[in-house]
Amino acid sequence: MRKTRTQTINALPPLRRRQVLAGMAGVAAAGLLPRGAFAQDGNVLKIRGNANPSSLDPATGGAGSDHVYLYNFYDTLVDWEPETLAPKPGLAASWEFPEPKTLVLKLQEGVTFHDGSPFNAEAVKFNLDRARTAGVSNIKSDVANIAEVEATDELTVTLTLSAPDTALPLILSDRAGMMISPDALGNDPEATVEREPVGTGPWTFGSWTDGEKITGSRFEDHWREGVPGVDNVEFVIIPETATGLRAIQSGQVNIAYQLDERQQQLIDKMPNLTLVSGPTLYIYQLYVNSARGALQDVRVRRALSLAIDREAYVAATQAGVGEVATMNLPQAHWAWSEAASKHVYHDPEEARRLLEEAGYGDGLELDFRGYPDQASVQRQEVLMAQWKKIGVTGRFRNAPIAEVAGAFFGEEKAGDLLLSAWTGRPDPSLTYALLYSEESYYNPGRVTPPEGYMEALQASRESTDQADRAAALARVQDIAMEAHLSIPLSIRYEVDATGEAVTDFVANLLGKPKFRDVKLG
Amino acid sequence: MLNPLQRRMLTRRLLQTVPVLILATFSVFMLLKLLPGDVAITLAGENASAERIAEIRQNYGLDKPLLIQYATWAWNALQGDLSSSLLSGEEVTTTLARVFPNTLFIVCYAILISIVLGVPLGILAAARAGGLADRMVMLLSSIGVALPNFWIAMIFVVAFALNRTWFPATGFVSPFEDPLRAIWYATLPAVALAASGVAEVSRQLRSSLVEILQSQHFRTLHAKGLPFRSILWKHGLRNVSVNLLTVISLLVNRTLAATVVVEVVFAIPGMGNTIVNATLQRDFPVVQGAVLAMVLTVITVNLVTDMLYSVLDPRISQQ
């Protein structure tokens, strides 16, 4: 035995450089073998998903990133125009408020759920009651104004409200309006379809592998003509944006949404990619605790706002992709108001004068709070440089979102200003109620809003006419911006990339894309 | 098969794993609890009331004292129940069964590359110590050790997946589904992971070989008229085999840890990605289960290495 081994070893040739190189080439070649196997399946729309969904049951999930998945399997009672978010018919063909506390929905005819059960008034009642009252529901507060739901006839639903609320149609374009098959839930409101969604949406659910992919295939009986545009949909879940961009660049996915603003320049340079971009409701802003020290004086808050050169801010922090924010809505929104936008502009001279008038001519030191990621720190640096010019100094204390937000908005009331963002709500009256109402969590000082604010807000919820609502909301925004209750900075733009074959994909103002009309050429 | 000495060593090592397991899982558990952020808030959604958050805490037992939470987890784990993900509801054992083989596949592939390339390069460098080949190998291995894996990974993606579409930029195919495509998908991540492995193996092998080749024992062999080739292959390599084994076992453990970053770069549904996402979302049953699996793997690798030591050099088990 021993002899044989010795002989074998001695028989081995000495290793030469050429052989080492040949070995290396062999390893590389082995990897190249199955190249031909890689080809895009023409009838599958592959999309880079940003996060594993929290749940595919619209009433039990909690993450804002879920909608992009939910829209494929569920339709909403109310839909919206992608450019303005103005409400338009969805599963509800029409709606009206016969009186301020009653909303009547007329449903589309001939709609069925993926399991074959009919979509009718009873199904809507089941879903809305589940959202309002079930223990598993995470969206009770969204529909808190609905006191009773009645299936008036097969295709008519009557909602009785506890207070006038014309924001409700747009609330029904969100989670609360996504209709699940009651049969799939066994008619038990406490049951869930977290892993196996059954709705009326353009695709029926195929599979969900956690953190990996979600698939769906065409729902043949879908009620919209020509929808979906592609037979199968597959979400490849890639949380990291740089990896997401590489996935679309190499042709492994057809669409990548919500990429980083800085990646727009890269997308522009790639000949095989098309950029789809547009404003969203996501707005970078400073939350102000108006109950603390110098910030109780509106002149100080105004000075802080006027000192900021927002054009420079967008150029430096968003690579120029975005727009200056002059209120808590983007300019494209139906409720944006020209009059209200006049309170926010860049005028460092005026800012210095205001500070002097308020008694801070010798300088003012403030306690800023923020987040520690690189992009946030860059935003902080730009702001500090601009405030320094009017004599405002201080230091940003950074910690993870949950910790900072808890300390700033919660009981502790730590910090004067927080540099963060507002992600938007489908109806603007919700945004204004949540940001500035006296008891609202996002009003860190719990300060009473200026006179007339709550009345104007209520008025915006009493009219059903969009022009009237816009006028009422203009008043709301004018009051909030004049008092500088927050300091809006810039609007984030959707940055999506599509591959060569993709057509009919549009960005929307909510910043949560829908794919039902997309076609592969 | 095992002699009494080896059996005694195995028993001793197995007993030593118990405190290691407890210590590792307990410290990870406490670290997770120290992190700011609360999974109940994530679960409750955007406009959740304080009551809803409290209700969720109660439902998941998150309101109980920390030690009780850990003890409950440990007791269930002992019976093979690693509990379920707080977020997706999937059983942790199912998650691990799905993602762990993917990571192991890439790690094994990377180790294979490290050995296949590292060993010949190390021998070449030692055989031509001080020469051009030696200096080239040492230069390359210095670069390999110095460059971070994720950076190499990104450069490889740009060069071989985007500029030249030889390999896919992201994704993974299971070797059980389609072995050839699995190799193709895993090549770039494995090569990125192996860069430091090749460097490490060739450096260590070179220095041990050079040391041994300069020893008196080898001078004697040389004086006896043995050709250099047989000195190197027959005596040299056997003498460095224990060193090489140590390097490889350390490499396995380190590569396993390095997958955390490389899996994110290549969007591979493996342990690394699972741990990163679960940690960000404070999904502690998943993190705990994954850490347990990783620790068990490292312990197994160490145990196998120890057993192999005593096979390669029987003196070790007698000590």
Side-chain angles (χ1 to χ4, degrees):
Chain A
M1 172 72 194
R2 195 176 172 78
K3 203 173 177 189
T4 327
R5 199 160 70 185
T6 313
Q7 280 166 350
T8 317
I9 291 172
N10 280 339
L12 283 172
L15 205 66
R16 291 178 204 284
R17 208 172 315 169
R18 208 179 303 153
Q19 287 160 333
V20 173
L21 288 174
M24 288 163 129
V27 171
L32 288 176
L33 274 176
R35 263 202 73 196
F38 180 51
Q40 277 276 0
D41 188 341
N43 219 4
V44 183
L45 176 65
K46 291 193 174 182
I47 301 161
R48 172 250 173 176
N50 293 8
N52 198 40
S54 65
S55 159
L56 290 179
D57 185 325
T60 67
S65 49
D66 292 348
H67 290 68
V68 178
Y69 305 102
L70 296 171
Y71 289 143
N72 307 299
F73 308 119
Y74 301 100
D75 287 311
T76 49
L77 287 169
V78 175
D79 200 358
W80 32 249
E81 295 292 346
E83 298 85 15
T84 61
L85 285 192
K88 69 174 186 182
L91 285 172
S94 67
W95 59 89
E96 58 163 352
F97 286 87
E99 48 115 6
K101 285 172 129 192
T102 307
L103 171 60
V104 178
L105 304 169
K106 292 276 181 198
L107 308 180
Q108 301 278 0
E109 275 180 62
V111 179
T112 55
F113 287 106
H114 298 158
D115 59 5
S117 60
F119 167 75
N120 54 25
E122 281 299 334
V124 175
K125 176 177 163 53
F126 175 85
N127 273 282
L128 291 180
D129 282 341
R130 177 173 182 256
R132 281 187 325 121
T133 57
V136 294
S137 169
N138 253 346
I139 51 171
K140 292 189 190 104
S141 61
D142 293 14
V143 284
N145 274 344
I146 302 178
E148 200 192 332
V149 184
E150 181 195 293
T152 316
D153 63 43
E154 180 70 10
L155 294 174
T156 310
V157 184
T158 307
L159 309 183
T160 309
L161 313 181
S162 53
D165 189 0
T166 50
L168 207 49
L170 273 172
I171 290 172
L172 297 179
S173 76
D174 211 68
R175 285 179 179 275
M178 295 182 186
M179 295 291 111
I180 308 168
S181 160
D183 280 6
L185 290 166
N187 288 299
D188 173 9
E190 297 296 339
T192 66
V193 285
E194 296 192 325
R195 309 283 310 182
E196 281 169 88
V198 184
T200 63
W203 286 282
T204 56
F205 174 74
S207 64
W208 171 12
T209 314
D210 268 301
E212 203 175 328
K213 69 179 172 189
I214 291 172
T215 64
S217 53
R218 176 189 290 277
F219 177 38
E220 295 295 347
D221 297 326
H222 185 68
W223 56 280
R224 284 189 185 93
E225 276 297 306
V227 169
V230 178
D231 284 345
N232 298 291
V233 67
E234 181 178 323
F235 285 87
V236 186
I237 300 167
I238 307 174
E240 223 269 317
T241 44
T243 310
L245 182 62
R246 286 196 291 275
I248 188 159
Q249 201 183 346
S250 65
Q252 285 178 279
V253 295
N254 305 108
I255 298 177
Y257 60 91
Q258 287 171 5
L259 293 166
D260 193 82
E261 288 123 348
R262 275 161 247 254
Q263 290 176 319
Q264 170 158 350
Q265 290 168 327
L266 295 171
I267 299 167
D268 283 339
K269 284 182 193 150
M270 293 171 193
N272 59 336
L273 300 187
T274 308
L275 175 80
V276 179
S277 181
T280 69
L281 293 183
Y282 190 103
I283 167 169
Y284 295 105
Q285 64 176 34
L286 285 149
Y287 289 84
V288 181
N289 189 337
S290 319
R292 274 170 72 108
L295 293 174
Q296 293 173 44
D297 189 332
V298 65
R299 289 170 297 188
V300 175
R301 303 199 295 267
R302 185 150 176 250
L304 286 172
S305 176
L306 296 189
I308 299 164
D309 180 352
R310 290 174 173 76
E311 300 279 353
Y313 176 86
V314 172
T317 66
Q318 289 166 255
V321 185
E323 67 182 45
V324 163
T326 49
M327 61 187 80
N328 306 103
L329 289 175
Q331 205 168 339
H333 196 277
W334 60 267
W336 188 82
S337 151
E338 173 121 39
S341 77
K342 298 226 154 54
H343 300 293
V344 174
Y345 52 94
H346 179 220
D347 188 347
E349 288 300 318
E350 174 72 359
R352 260 192 296 270
R353 194 192 63 75
L354 283 166
L355 274 188
E356 209 155 306
E357 202 181 292
Y360 299 100
D362 299 333
L364 169 65
E365 197 178 332
L366 292 169
D367 176 1
F368 302 101
R369 302 294 165 118
Y371 309 134
D373 63 282
Q374 199 187 344
S376 295
V377 172
Q378 194 191 9
R379 284 180 211 119
Q380 295 162 12
E381 284 166 358
V382 173
L383 291 176
M384 292 308 292
Q386 298 185 346
W387 282 327
K388 203 175 164 194
K389 292 178 189 163
I390 63 161
V392 172
T393 54
R395 193 171 72 87
F396 267 96
R397 285 195 226 171
N398 295 331
I401 295 180
E403 191 183 336
V404 170
F408 186 78
F409 293 115
E411 294 305 310
E412 204 180 319
K413 308 262 170 284
D416 293 319
L417 295 108
L418 168 68
L419 175 57
S420 179
W422 177 250
T423 56
R425 293 293 182 276
D427 193 276
S429 71
L430 281 178
T431 288
Y432 284 99
L434 287 169
L435 283 176
Y436 308 122
S437 299
E438 188 169 351
E439 287 310 313
S440 176
Y441 179 74
Y442 297 102
N443 172 0
R446 308 288 185 266
V447 290
T448 317
E451 213 184 308
Y453 182 83
M454 293 313 284
E455 291 76 14
L457 191 60
Q458 187 53 40
S460 80
R461 287 185 166 197
E462 283 176 7
S463 169
T464 53
D465 181 70
Q466 194 166 301
D468 287 350
R469 293 202 66 206
L473 284 161
R475 178 87 193 110
V476 172
Q477 296 173 89
D478 193 50
I479 298 172
M481 286 304 114
E482 193 178 11
H484 295 275
L485 296 176
S486 71
I487 301 176
L489 297 167
S490 68
I491 304 292
R492 185 166 86 176
Y493 269 39
E494 178 82 28
V495 175
D496 306 331
T498 61
E500 274 160 341
V502 175
T503 57
D504 298 295
F505 174 66
V506 289
N508 63 56
L509 205 50
L510 194 62
K512 297 171 180 174
K514 292 183 178 180
F515 303 103
R516 64 179 184 226
D517 296 318
V518 174
K519 292 176 192 69
L520 287 174
Chain B
M1 194 179 135
L2 296 174
N3 63 40
L5 278 170
Q6 286 173 329
R7 219 171 303 144
R8 244 183 47 208
M9 191 178 87
L10 186 66
T11 322
R12 208 172 56 226
R13 285 297 155 99
L14 283 175
L15 283 175
Q16 282 169 354
T17 60
V18 178
V20 172
L21 279 176
I22 294 176
L23 201 66
T25 53
F26 185 70
S27 32
V28 169
F29 179 83
M30 291 314 281
L31 278 174
L32 271 180
K33 294 290 170 184
L34 276 177
L35 286 178
D38 184 347
V39 70
I41 294 174
T42 315
L43 284 167
E46 283 171 351
N47 300 327
S49 61
E51 294 83 53
R52 175 76 188 139
I53 294 170
E55 190 185 327
I56 289 173
R57 273 203 197 104
Q58 199 182 356
N59 289 349
Y60 288 93
L62 298 167
D63 54 343
K64 300 217 173 73
L66 288 184
L67 280 177
I68 303 278
Q69 286 186 45
Y70 177 77
T72 314
W73 176 84
W75 177 245
N76 290 336
L78 209 60
Q79 297 165 51
D81 173 14
L82 292 179
S83 169
S84 307
S85 159
L86 294 181
L87 292 156
S88 72
E90 188 180 45
E91 279 194 23
V92 175
T93 41
T94 315
T95 311
L96 294 180
R98 183 161 50 76
V99 300
F100 203 22
N102 301 351
T103 298
L104 281 183
F105 178 66
I106 289 173
V107 169
C108 291
Y109 193 179
I111 297 297
L112 188 74
I113 297 174
S114 306
I115 296 171
V116 167
L117 295 185
V119 170
L121 286 175
I123 295 173
L124 178 77
R128 309 263 198 283
L132 181 68
D134 181 26
R135 270 178 286 170
M136 287 303 288
V137 170
M138 285 307 100
L139 178 72
L140 286 177
S141 71
S142 297
I143 295 173
V145 171
L147 295 181
N149 286 324
F150 67 90
W151 187 83
I152 298 176
M154 284 193 274
I155 296 298
F156 280 170
V157 170
V158 172
F160 302 115
L162 300 180
N163 291 345
R164 303 241 179 289
T165 51
W166 294 351
F167 294 97
T170 61
F172 185 80
V173 171
S174 164
F176 304 113
E177 265 171 42
D178 184 343
L180 278 182
R181 271 169 69 91
I183 292 174
W184 182 51
Y185 268 82
T187 298
L188 282 190
V191 172
L193 277 175
S196 59
V198 173
E200 196 75 30
V201 170
S202 58
R203 277 186 94 87
Q204 296 289 349
L205 188 62
R206 178 202 175 270
S207 69
S208 326
L209 262 180
V210 165
E211 195 182 317
I212 280 171
L213 293 177
Q214 283 168 352
S215 66
Q216 290 190 350
H217 164 60
F218 280 82
R219 206 184 305 155
T220 314
L221 289 176
H222 200 61
K224 273 173 72 183
L226 241 72
F228 181 68
R229 192 197 307 172
S230 66
I231 294 180
L232 181 69
W233 287 104
K234 198 170 117 190
H235 301 277
L237 281 181
R238 184 181 301 168
N239 273 292
V240 298
S241 58
V242 170
N243 284 1
L244 191 61
L245 189 64
T246 311
V247 174
I248 292 169
S249 82
L250 288 174
L251 203 60
V252 172
N253 298 339
R254 233 184 26 211
T255 310
L256 207 56
T259 56
V260 171
V261 182
V262 171
E263 283 181 7
V264 172
V265 173
F266 287 97
I268 295 164
M271 292 291 272
N273 243 330
T274 305
I275 291 178
V276 169
N277 290 330
T279 309
L280 289 176
Q281 295 171 312
R282 314 282 179 268
D283 194 349
F284 82 88
V286 176
V287 180
Q288 287 284 88
V291 167
L292 184 70
M294 293 284 233
V295 172
L296 277 176
T297 312
V298 170
I299 289 174
T300 312
V301 169
N302 291 347
L303 200 64
V304 170
T305 312
D306 283 349
M307 298 314 290
L308 284 176
Y309 279 158
S310 64
V311 173
L312 287 172
D313 187 348
R315 286 172 302 180
I316 289 175
S317 59
Q318 286 161 10
Q319 279 165 12

